[in-house]
Amino acid sequence: SHRRERMLTAEERAMIKEAVGPGPFRNLLTFLELTGCRPYSEAAQVSAGMIDWKGGTITFLRHKNARKGKSRVVYLVPALQVLLREW
């Protein structure tokens, strides 16, 4: 099998969000779009205690490269900070 290299266009992302409508699932899609996180092993595991509001980051203690001594840090863009504060 080959890796997929195609990215969704802005129009395709807008169509998906429109079809989903407002609510928690749309918020999840926005979170995934703005962070590049994996849906289940990262995004679904985020809790308030993982968010550093001053630094604008989320640090994952458990992730696929933790055995190698690497940390997984996701930087929060302003739009994502607003969304997370609302949650």
Coordinates of all heavy atoms in Angstrom, one line a residue:
S1 N 0.8 -1.2 0.0 CA 0.0 0.0 0.0 C 0.9 1.2 0.0 O 2.0 1.2 0.5 CB -0.9 0.0 1.2 OG -0.2 0.2 2.4
H2 N 0.3 2.3 -0.6 CA 1.1 3.6 -0.6 C 0.5 4.6 0.3 O -0.7 4.6 0.5 CB 1.1 4.1 -2.1 CG 1.8 3.2 -3.0 ND1 3.1 3.1 -3.1 CD2 1.3 2.3 -4.0 CE1 3.5 2.2 -4.0 NE2 2.4 1.7 -4.5
R3 N 1.3 5.5 0.7 CA 0.9 6.5 1.6 C 0.1 7.6 0.8 O 0.5 7.9 -0.4 CB 2.1 7.2 2.2 CG 1.8 8.3 3.2 CD 3.1 8.8 3.8 NE 2.8 9.9 4.6 CZ 3.7 10.6 5.3 NH1 4.9 10.2 5.3 NH2 3.4 11.6 6.0
R4 N -1.0 8.1 1.3 CA -1.7 9.1 0.6 C -1.1 10.5 0.8 O -0.7 10.8 1.9 CB -3.2 9.2 1.2 CG -3.9 7.9 0.9 CD -5.3 8.1 1.4 NE -5.9 6.7 1.5 CZ -7.0 6.5 2.1 NH1 -7.7 7.5 2.7 NH2 -7.5 5.3 2.2
E5 N -0.9 11.2 -0.2 CA -0.3 12.5 -0.2 C -1.2 13.7 -0.4 O -0.9 14.8 -0.5 CB 0.9 12.6 -1.2 CG 2.0 11.6 -0.8 CD 2.7 11.9 0.5 OE1 2.8 13.1 0.9 OE2 3.2 11.0 1.1
R6 N -2.5 13.4 -0.7 CA -3.5 14.4 -1.0 C -4.0 15.1 0.2 O -4.3 14.5 1.2 CB -4.6 13.8 -1.8 CG -5.6 14.8 -2.2 CD -6.8 14.1 -3.0 NE -7.8 14.9 -3.4 CZ -8.7 15.5 -2.6 NH1 -8.7 15.2 -1.3 NH2 -9.7 16.3 -3.0
M7 N -4.1 16.4 0.2 CA -4.7 17.2 1.3 C -6.0 17.7 0.8 O -6.2 18.0 -0.3 CB -3.8 18.4 1.6 CG -2.3 18.0 2.0 SD -2.2 17.3 3.6 CE -2.4 18.7 4.6
L8 N -6.9 17.9 1.8 CA -8.2 18.4 1.5 C -8.1 19.9 1.2 O -7.3 20.6 1.8 CB -9.2 18.3 2.7 CG -9.6 16.9 3.1 CD1 -10.4 16.9 4.4 CD2 -10.3 16.2 2.0
T9 N -8.8 20.3 0.2 CA -8.8 21.8 -0.2 C -9.7 22.5 0.9 O -10.4 21.9 1.6 CB -9.4 22.0 -1.6 OG1 -10.8 21.6 -1.5 CG2 -8.7 21.2 -2.6
A10 N -9.5 23.8 0.9 CA -10.3 24.7 1.8 C -11.8 24.5 1.5 O -12.6 24.5 2.4 CB -9.9 26.1 1.6
E11 N -12.2 24.3 0.2 CA -13.6 24.1 -0.1 C -14.1 22.8 0.4 O -15.2 22.7 0.9 CB -13.8 24.2 -1.7 CG -13.5 25.6 -2.3 CD -12.1 25.9 -2.5 OE1 -11.2 24.9 -2.5 OE2 -11.7 27.0 -2.6
E12 N -13.3 21.8 0.3 CA -13.7 20.5 0.8 C -13.9 20.5 2.3 O -14.8 19.9 2.9 CB -12.7 19.4 0.4 CG -12.7 19.1 -1.1 CD -11.5 18.2 -1.5 OE1 -10.4 18.3 -0.9 OE2 -11.7 17.4 -2.4
R13 N -12.9 21.1 3.0 CA -13.1 21.3 4.5 C -14.3 22.0 4.9 O -15.0 21.6 5.8 CB -11.8 21.9 5.1 CG -10.6 21.0 5.0 CD -9.5 21.5 5.9 NE -9.1 22.9 5.6 CZ -8.1 23.2 4.7 NH1 -7.5 22.3 4.0 NH2 -7.8 24.5 4.5
A14 N -14.6 23.1 4.1 CA -15.8 23.9 4.4 C -17.1 23.0 4.2 O -18.1 23.1 5.0 CB -15.9 25.1 3.5
M15 N -17.1 22.2 3.1 CA -18.3 21.3 2.8 C -18.5 20.3 4.0 O -19.6 20.1 4.4 CB -18.1 20.6 1.5 CG -18.4 21.4 0.3 SD -18.2 20.6 -1.3 CE -18.0 18.9 -1.0
I16 N -17.4 19.8 4.5 CA -17.5 18.8 5.5 C -18.1 19.5 6.8 O -19.0 18.9 7.4 CB -16.1 18.1 5.8 CG1 -15.7 17.3 4.6 CG2 -16.2 17.3 7.1 CD1 -14.3 16.8 4.7
K17 N -17.5 20.6 7.1 CA -18.0 21.3 8.3 C -19.5 21.7 8.2 O -20.2 21.6 9.2 CB -17.2 22.5 8.6 CG -15.8 22.2 9.2 CD -15.0 23.4 9.5 CE -13.7 23.1 10.0 NZ -12.9 24.3 10.3
E18 N -19.9 22.1 7.0 CA -21.3 22.5 6.8 C -22.2 21.3 6.9 O -23.3 21.4 7.5 CB -21.4 23.1 5.4 CG -22.8 23.6 5.1 CD -22.9 24.3 3.7 OE1 -22.0 25.0 3.3 OE2 -23.9 24.0 3.1
A19 N -21.7 20.1 6.4 CA -22.5 18.9 6.5 C -22.7 18.4 7.9 O -23.7 17.9 8.3 CB -21.9 17.8 5.6
V20 N -21.6 18.6 8.7 CA -21.7 18.2 10.1 C -22.5 19.1 11.0 O -23.2 18.6 11.8 CB -20.2 18.1 10.7 CG1 -20.2 17.9 12.2 CG2 -19.4 17.0 10.0
G21 N -22.5 20.4 10.7 CA -23.2 21.3 11.5 C -22.6 21.6 12.8 O -21.6 21.0 13.2
P22 N -23.1 22.6 13.5 CA -22.4 23.0 14.8 C -22.6 21.9 15.9 O -23.5 21.1 15.8 CB -23.2 24.2 15.2 CG -24.5 24.2 14.5 CD -24.2 23.4 13.3
G23 N -21.6 21.8 16.8 CA -21.7 20.9 17.9 C -20.3 20.3 18.2 O -19.3 20.7 17.6
P24 N -20.3 19.3 19.1 CA -19.1 18.7 19.5 C -18.2 18.0 18.4 O -17.0 18.1 18.4 CB -19.5 17.7 20.6 CG -20.9 18.0 21.0 CD -21.5 18.8 19.8
F25 N -18.9 17.4 17.5 CA -18.1 16.7 16.4 C -17.4 17.7 15.5 O -16.3 17.5 15.1 CB -19.0 15.7 15.6 CG -18.2 14.9 14.6 CD1 -17.2 14.0 15.1 CD2 -18.4 15.0 13.3 CE1 -16.5 13.3 14.2 CE2 -17.6 14.3 12.4 CZ -16.7 13.4 12.8
R26 N -18.1 18.8 15.3 CA -17.5 19.9 14.4 C -16.3 20.5 15.2 O -15.3 20.8 14.6 CB -18.5 20.9 14.1 CG -18.0 22.0 13.2 CD -19.1 23.0 12.9 NE -18.6 23.9 11.8 CZ -19.5 24.7 11.2 NH1 -20.7 24.6 11.4 NH2 -19.0 25.5 10.2
N27 N -16.5 20.6 16.5 CA -15.3 21.1 17.3 C -14.1 20.2 17.2 O -13.0 20.6 17.2 CB -15.8 21.3 18.8 CG -16.8 22.5 18.9 OD1 -16.9 23.3 18.1 ND2 -17.5 22.5 20.0
L28 N -14.4 18.9 17.3 CA -13.3 17.9 17.2 C -12.6 18.0 15.8 O -11.4 18.0 15.7 CB -13.8 16.5 17.4 CG -12.8 15.4 17.1 CD1 -11.7 15.5 18.1 CD2 -13.5 14.0 17.2
L29 N -13.4 18.2 14.7 CA -12.8 18.3 13.4 C -12.0 19.6 13.3 O -10.9 19.6 12.7 CB -13.9 18.4 12.3 CG -14.7 17.1 12.1 CD1 -15.8 17.3 11.1 CD2 -13.8 15.9 11.7
T30 N -12.4 20.7 13.9 CA -11.7 21.9 14.0 C -10.4 21.7 14.7 O -9.3 22.1 14.3 CB -12.5 23.0 14.6 OG1 -13.7 23.2 13.8 CG2 -11.7 24.3 14.6
F31 N -10.4 21.0 15.9 CA -9.2 20.7 16.7 C -8.2 19.9 15.8 O -7.1 20.3 15.8 CB -9.6 20.0 17.9 CG -8.5 19.6 18.8 CD1 -8.0 20.5 19.8 CD2 -7.8 18.4 18.7 CE1 -7.0 20.2 20.6 CE2 -6.8 18.1 19.5 CZ -6.3 19.0 20.4
L32 N -8.7 18.9 15.2 CA -7.8 18.1 14.3 C -7.2 18.9 13.2 O -6.0 18.8 12.9 CB -8.6 16.9 13.8 CG -9.1 15.9 14.8 CD1 -10.0 14.8 14.1 CD2 -8.0 15.2 15.5
E33 N -8.0 19.8 12.6 CA -7.5 20.6 11.5 C -6.4 21.6 12.0 O -5.4 21.8 11.3 CB -8.6 21.3 10.9 CG -8.3 22.2 9.7 CD -9.4 23.0 9.2 OE1 -10.5 22.9 9.7 OE2 -9.2 23.7 8.2
L34 N -6.6 22.2 13.1 CA -5.7 23.2 13.6 C -4.4 22.6 14.3 O -3.4 23.3 14.4 CB -6.4 24.1 14.6 CG -7.5 25.0 14.0 CD1 -8.2 25.8 15.0 CD2 -6.9 25.9 12.9
T35 N -4.5 21.4 14.7 CA -3.3 20.8 15.4 C -2.6 19.7 14.6 O -1.4 19.5 14.9 CB -3.7 20.2 16.7 OG1 -4.6 19.1 16.5 CG2 -4.4 21.2 17.7
G36 N -3.3 19.0 13.8 CA -2.6 17.8 13.1 C -2.5 16.6 14.1 O -1.8 15.7 13.8
C37 N -3.3 16.7 15.2 CA -3.2 15.5 16.1 C -3.9 14.3 15.5 O -4.8 14.4 14.7 CB -4.0 15.9 17.4 SG -3.1 17.0 18.5
R38 N -3.6 13.2 16.0 CA -4.2 11.9 15.7 C -5.6 11.9 16.5 O -5.6 12.3 17.6 CB -3.4 10.7 16.1 CG -2.1 10.6 15.3 CD -1.1 9.7 16.0 NE 0.1 9.6 15.2 CZ 1.1 10.4 15.4 NH1 1.1 11.4 16.3 NH2 2.2 10.3 14.7
P39 N -6.6 11.4 15.8 CA -8.0 11.5 16.4 C -8.1 10.8 17.8 O -8.6 11.4 18.7 CB -8.9 10.9 15.4 CG -8.2 10.9 14.1 CD -6.7 10.9 14.4
Y40 N -7.7 9.6 17.8 CA -8.0 8.8 19.0 C -6.9 8.8 20.0 O -7.1 8.9 21.2 CB -8.4 7.3 18.6 CG -9.6 7.3 17.7 CD1 -9.4 7.0 16.4 CD2 -10.8 7.6 18.2 CE1 -10.5 7.0 15.5 CE2 -11.9 7.7 17.3 CZ -11.7 7.4 16.0 OH -12.8 7.4 15.2
S41 N -5.6 8.6 19.6 CA -4.5 8.5 20.5 C -4.1 9.8 21.0 O -3.3 9.9 22.0 CB -3.3 7.7 19.9 OG -2.8 8.5 18.7
E42 N -4.5 10.9 20.4 CA -4.1 12.2 20.9 C -5.3 13.1 21.2 O -5.5 13.4 22.4 CB -3.2 12.9 19.9 CG -1.8 12.2 19.8 CD -0.9 12.9 18.7 OE1 -1.4 13.6 17.8 OE2 0.3 12.7 18.9
A43 N -6.1 13.5 20.2 CA -7.2 14.4 20.4 C -8.2 13.9 21.5 O -8.6 14.7 22.3 CB -7.9 14.7 19.1
A44 N -8.5 12.7 21.5 CA -9.5 12.1 22.4 C -8.9 12.1 23.8 O -9.7 11.9 24.8 CB -10.0 10.8 22.0
Q45 N -7.6 12.2 24.0 CA -7.0 12.1 25.3 C -6.7 13.4 26.0 O -6.3 13.4 27.1 CB -5.6 11.3 25.1 CG -5.8 10.0 24.5 CD -6.7 9.0 25.2 OE1 -6.7 9.0 26.4 NE2 -7.5 8.3 24.5
V46 N -6.9 14.5 25.3 CA -6.6 15.8 25.8 C -7.5 16.1 27.0 O -8.8 15.9 27.0 CB -6.8 16.9 24.7 CG1 -6.7 18.3 25.4 CG2 -5.8 16.7 23.6
S47 N -6.9 16.6 28.1 CA -7.7 17.0 29.3 C -7.2 18.4 29.7 O -6.1 18.9 29.2 CB -7.5 16.0 30.4 OG -6.1 16.1 30.8
A48 N -7.9 19.1 30.5 CA -7.6 20.5 30.9 C -6.2 20.5 31.5 O -5.5 21.5 31.3 CB -8.7 21.0 31.8
G49 N -5.8 19.5 32.3 CA -4.5 19.5 33.0 C -3.3 19.4 32.0 O -2.2 19.8 32.4
M50 N -3.6 19.1 30.8 CA -2.5 19.0 29.8 C -2.2 20.3 29.1 O -1.2 20.4 28.4 CB -2.8 17.9 28.7 CG -3.0 16.5 29.3 SD -3.7 15.4 28.1 CE -2.4 15.3 26.9
I51 N -3.1 21.3 29.3 CA -3.0 22.5 28.5 C -2.2 23.5 29.3 O -2.5 23.8 30.5 CB -4.4 23.1 28.2 CG1 -5.1 22.1 27.3 CG2 -4.2 24.4 27.4 CD1 -6.6 22.4 27.1
D52 N -1.1 24.1 28.7 CA -0.4 25.2 29.3 C -0.9 26.5 28.7 O -0.5 26.8 27.6 CB 1.1 25.0 29.1 CG 2.0 26.1 29.6 OD1 1.4 27.1 30.2 OD2 3.2 26.1 29.3
W53 N -1.8 27.2 29.3 CA -2.4 28.4 28.7 C -1.4 29.5 28.5 O -1.5 30.2 27.5 CB -3.6 28.9 29.6 CG -4.7 27.9 29.7 CD1 -5.0 27.1 30.8 CD2 -5.6 27.5 28.6 NE1 -6.1 26.3 30.4 CE2 -6.5 26.6 29.2 CE3 -5.8 28.0 27.3 CZ2 -7.5 26.0 28.4 CZ3 -6.8 27.4 26.6 CH2 -7.6 26.4 27.1
K54 N -0.5 29.7 29.5 CA 0.6 30.7 29.3 C 1.5 30.4 28.1 O 1.8 31.3 27.4 CB 1.4 30.9 30.6 CG 0.8 31.7 31.6 CD 1.8 32.0 32.7 CE 1.4 33.1 33.6 NZ 2.3 33.4 34.6
G55 N 1.9 29.2 28.0 CA 2.8 28.8 27.0 C 2.1 28.5 25.7 O 2.8 28.4 24.6
G56 N 0.8 28.3 25.7 CA 0.1 28.0 24.5 C 0.4 26.7 23.9 O 0.5 26.5 22.7
T57 N 0.5 25.7 24.8 CA 0.9 24.3 24.3 C 0.0 23.2 25.0 O -0.6 23.5 26.0 CB 2.3 24.0 24.6 OG1 2.6 24.0 26.0 CG2 3.3 25.0 23.9
I58 N 0.0 22.1 24.4 CA -0.5 20.9 25.0 C 0.6 19.9 24.9 O 1.2 19.6 23.9 CB -1.7 20.3 24.2 CG1 -2.9 21.3 24.2 CG2 -2.2 19.0 24.8 CD1 -4.0 20.8 23.2
T59 N 1.0 19.3 26.1 CA 2.0 18.3 26.1 C 1.4 16.9 26.4 O 0.7 16.7 27.4 CB 3.1 18.6 27.2 OG1 3.6 19.9 26.9 CG2 4.2 17.6 27.2
F60 N 1.7 16.0 25.5 CA 1.3 14.6 25.7 C 2.3 13.8 26.4 O 3.5 13.7 25.9 CB 1.0 14.0 24.3 CG -0.2 14.6 23.6 CD1 0.0 15.7 22.8 CD2 -1.5 14.1 23.8 CE1 -1.1 16.3 22.1 CE2 -2.6 14.7 23.2 CZ -2.4 15.8 22.4
L61 N 2.0 13.2 27.5 CA 3.0 12.4 28.3 C 3.1 11.0 27.7 O 4.2 10.4 27.7 CB 2.5 12.3 29.7 CG 2.5 13.6 30.5 CD1 2.0 13.4 31.9 CD2 3.8 14.4 30.4
R62 N 2.0 10.5 27.1 CA 2.0 9.2 26.5 C 1.7 9.4 25.0 O 0.7 9.9 24.7 CB 0.9 8.3 27.1 CG 1.3 7.9 28.6 CD 0.3 6.9 29.1 NE -1.1 7.3 29.0 CZ -2.1 6.5 29.1 NH1 -1.9 5.2 29.5 NH2 -3.3 6.9 29.0
H63 N 2.6 8.9 24.2 CA 2.5 9.0 22.8 C 3.4 8.0 22.1 O 4.2 7.3 22.8 CB 2.7 10.4 22.2 CG 4.1 10.9 22.5 ND1 5.1 10.7 21.5 CD2 4.7 11.4 23.5 CE1 6.2 11.2 22.0 NE2 6.0 11.6 23.2
K64 N 3.4 7.9 20.8 CA 4.0 6.8 20.2 C 5.6 6.8 20.3 O 6.2 5.8 20.1 CB 3.6 6.6 18.7 CG 4.1 7.7 17.8 CD 3.7 7.4 16.4 CE 4.5 8.3 15.4 NZ 4.2 7.9 14.0
N65 N 6.2 8.0 20.5 CA 7.6 8.1 20.6 C 8.1 8.3 22.0 O 9.3 8.6 22.2 CB 8.1 9.2 19.7 CG 8.1 8.9 18.2 OD1 8.3 7.7 17.9 ND2 7.8 9.8 17.4
A66 N 7.3 8.1 23.0 CA 7.7 8.3 24.4 C 8.8 7.4 24.8 O 9.6 7.7 25.6 CB 6.5 8.1 25.3
R67 N 8.8 6.2 24.2 CA 9.9 5.2 24.6 C 11.2 5.7 24.2 O 12.2 5.3 24.7 CB 9.6 3.9 23.8 CG 8.4 3.2 24.3 CD 8.3 1.9 23.5 NE 8.1 2.3 22.0 CZ 7.7 1.5 21.1 NH1 7.4 0.3 21.3 NH2 7.6 1.9 19.8
K68 N 11.3 6.6 23.2 CA 12.5 7.1 22.7 C 13.0 8.4 23.4 O 13.9 9.0 23.1 CB 12.4 7.4 21.2 CG 12.1 6.2 20.3 CD 11.9 6.6 18.9 CE 11.5 5.4 18.1 NZ 11.2 5.7 16.7
G69 N 12.2 8.7 24.5 CA 12.5 9.9 25.3 C 12.1 11.2 24.6 O 12.5 12.3 25.1
K70 N 11.2 11.1 23.6 CA 10.8 12.3 23.0 C 9.4 12.7 23.5 O 8.6 11.9 24.0 CB 10.6 12.1 21.5 CG 11.9 11.8 20.8 CD 11.7 11.5 19.3 CE 13.0 11.2 18.6 NZ 12.8 11.0 17.2
S71 N 9.2 14.0 23.6 CA 7.9 14.5 24.0 C 7.1 15.0 22.8 O 7.6 15.4 21.8 CB 8.1 15.7 25.1 OG 8.8 16.7 24.5
R72 N 5.8 15.0 23.0 CA 4.9 15.5 21.9 C 4.2 16.7 22.4 O 3.4 16.7 23.3 CB 3.8 14.4 21.6 CG 2.7 14.8 20.7 CD 3.1 14.8 19.2 NE 1.9 14.8 18.4 CZ 1.7 15.7 17.5 NH1 2.5 16.8 17.3 NH2 0.6 15.7 16.8
V73 N 4.6 17.8 21.8 CA 4.1 19.1 22.2 C 3.3 19.7 21.0 O 3.8 19.7 19.9 CB 5.2 20.1 22.6 CG1 4.6 21.5 22.9 CG2 6.0 19.5 23.8
V74 N 2.1 20.1 21.2 CA 1.2 20.8 20.2 C 1.1 22.2 20.6 O 0.7 22.6 21.7 CB -0.2 20.1 20.1 CG1 -1.1 20.8 19.2 CG2 0.0 18.6 19.7
Y75 N 1.4 23.1 19.6 CA 1.3 24.5 19.9 C -0.1 25.0 19.5 O -0.6 24.6 18.4 CB 2.4 25.3 19.1 CG 3.8 24.9 19.6 CD1 4.5 23.8 19.1 CD2 4.3 25.5 20.7 CE1 5.7 23.5 19.5 CE2 5.6 25.2 21.2 CZ 6.2 24.1 20.6 OH 7.5 23.8 21.1
L76 N -0.7 25.8 20.3 CA -2.0 26.3 20.1 C -2.1 27.6 19.4 O -1.5 28.6 19.9 CB -2.8 26.4 21.5 CG -2.8 25.2 22.3 CD1 -3.4 25.5 23.7 CD2 -3.5 24.0 21.6
V77 N -2.8 27.7 18.3 CA -3.0 28.9 17.6 C -4.1 29.7 18.3 O -4.9 29.0 19.1 CB -3.4 28.7 16.1 CG1 -2.2 28.1 15.3 CG2 -4.6 27.9 15.9
P78 N -4.2 31.0 18.2 CA -5.2 31.7 19.0 C -6.6 31.2 18.8 O -7.4 31.1 19.7 CB -5.1 33.2 18.4 CG -3.6 33.3 18.0 CD -3.3 31.9 17.5
A79 N -7.0 30.8 17.6 CA -8.4 30.3 17.3 C -8.6 29.1 18.1 O -9.7 28.9 18.6 CB -8.6 30.1 15.8
L80 N -7.6 28.2 18.3 CA -7.8 27.0 19.0 C -7.9 27.3 20.5 O -8.6 26.6 21.2 CB -6.6 26.0 18.7 CG -6.8 24.7 19.3 CD1 -8.1 24.0 18.9 CD2 -5.6 23.8 18.9
Q81 N -7.1 28.3 21.0 CA -7.2 28.6 22.4 C -8.6 29.1 22.8 O -9.1 28.7 23.8 CB -6.2 29.7 22.7 CG -4.8 29.2 22.8 CD -3.8 30.3 23.2 OE1 -4.2 31.3 23.8 NE2 -2.5 30.0 23.0
V82 N -9.2 29.8 21.9 CA -10.6 30.3 22.1 C -11.6 29.1 22.2 O -12.4 29.0 23.1 CB -11.1 31.3 21.0 CG1 -12.5 31.6 21.1 CG2 -10.3 32.6 21.1
L83 N -11.4 28.2 21.2 CA -12.3 27.0 21.2 C -12.1 26.1 22.4 O -13.1 25.7 23.1 CB -11.9 26.1 19.9 CG -12.7 24.8 19.8 CD1 -14.2 25.1 19.5 CD2 -12.1 24.0 18.7
L84 N -10.9 25.9 22.9 CA -10.6 25.1 24.1 C -11.1 25.8 25.3 O -11.6 25.1 26.2 CB -9.1 24.8 24.2 CG -8.5 23.9 23.2 CD1 -7.0 23.8 23.3 CD2 -9.2 22.5 23.3
R85 N -11.0 27.1 25.4 CA -11.6 27.8 26.6 C -13.1 27.7 26.7 O -13.6 27.6 27.8 CB -11.1 29.3 26.6 CG -9.7 29.4 27.0 CD -9.3 30.9 27.1 NE -7.9 31.1 27.1 CZ -7.2 31.1 28.3 NH1 -7.8 30.7 29.4 NH2 -5.9 31.3 28.2
E86 N -13.7 27.7 25.5 CA -15.2 27.5 25.5 C -15.6 26.1 26.0 O -16.6 25.9 26.6 CB -15.7 27.7 24.1 CG -15.7 29.2 23.7 CD -16.1 29.4 22.2 OE1 -16.5 28.4 21.5 OE2 -16.1 30.5 21.7
W87 N -14.8 25.1 25.6 CA -15.1 23.7 26.1 C -15.0 23.6 27.6 O -15.6 23.0 28.3 CB -14.1 22.7 25.4 CG -14.5 22.4 24.0 CD1 -15.6 22.8 23.4 CD2 -13.8 21.6 23.1 NE1 -15.6 22.3 22.1 CE2 -14.5 21.6 21.9 CE3 -12.5 21.0 23.2 CZ2 -14.0 20.9 20.8 CZ3 -12.1 20.3 22.1 CH2 -12.8 20.2 20.9

